[in-house]
Amino acid sequence: MPKNPFQLGWNKGWDFLLFLEGGTPKIEASGFGITMTTDIKKGESPSQTADRLVFKEQRNRKSIYYSWLKSIS
């Protein structure tokens, strides 16, 4: 399967793949041992979609990290 990666400057460690699935444009983000996929929303650019996807994952990881810190205090 040919890859179509593009880079976002602040998202080091992530690779992105833009593809169509059933006529719906999607982006797959791979990095740090996980892979996530999301639809590109109407009026959204691929880089905005990738930004939204990675921001959501970073927010989840930060939340889990701070929960862990509270549990060991």
Side-chain angles (χ1 to χ4, degrees):
M1 174 179 190
K3 286 208 168 194
N4 180 12
F6 61 92
Q7 297 290 326
L8 294 176
W10 65 270
N11 286 327
K12 302 295 183 213
W14 291 95
D15 290 320
F16 302 95
L17 175 65
L18 176 64
F19 65 97
L20 286 174
E21 182 175 79
T24 304
K26 296 187 176 215
I27 287 192
E28 179 180 276
S30 301
F32 303 106
I34 62 170
T35 300
M36 305 173 294
T37 304
T38 190
D39 294 347
I40 298 176
K41 295 181 179 177
K42 188 174 182 173
E44 196 174 48
S45 74
S47 35
Q48 289 171 324
T49 303
D51 189 41
R52 175 176 49 84
L53 185 61
V54 172
F55 178 72
K56 181 179 175 185
E57 176 59 24
Q58 287 177 333
R59 191 175 57 214
N60 286 342
R61 285 176 180 238
K62 207 178 265 190
S63 173
I64 292 168
Y65 172 73
Y66 287 122
S67 294
W68 175 76
L69 282 181
K70 282 177 107 175
S71 73
I72 62 170
S73 307

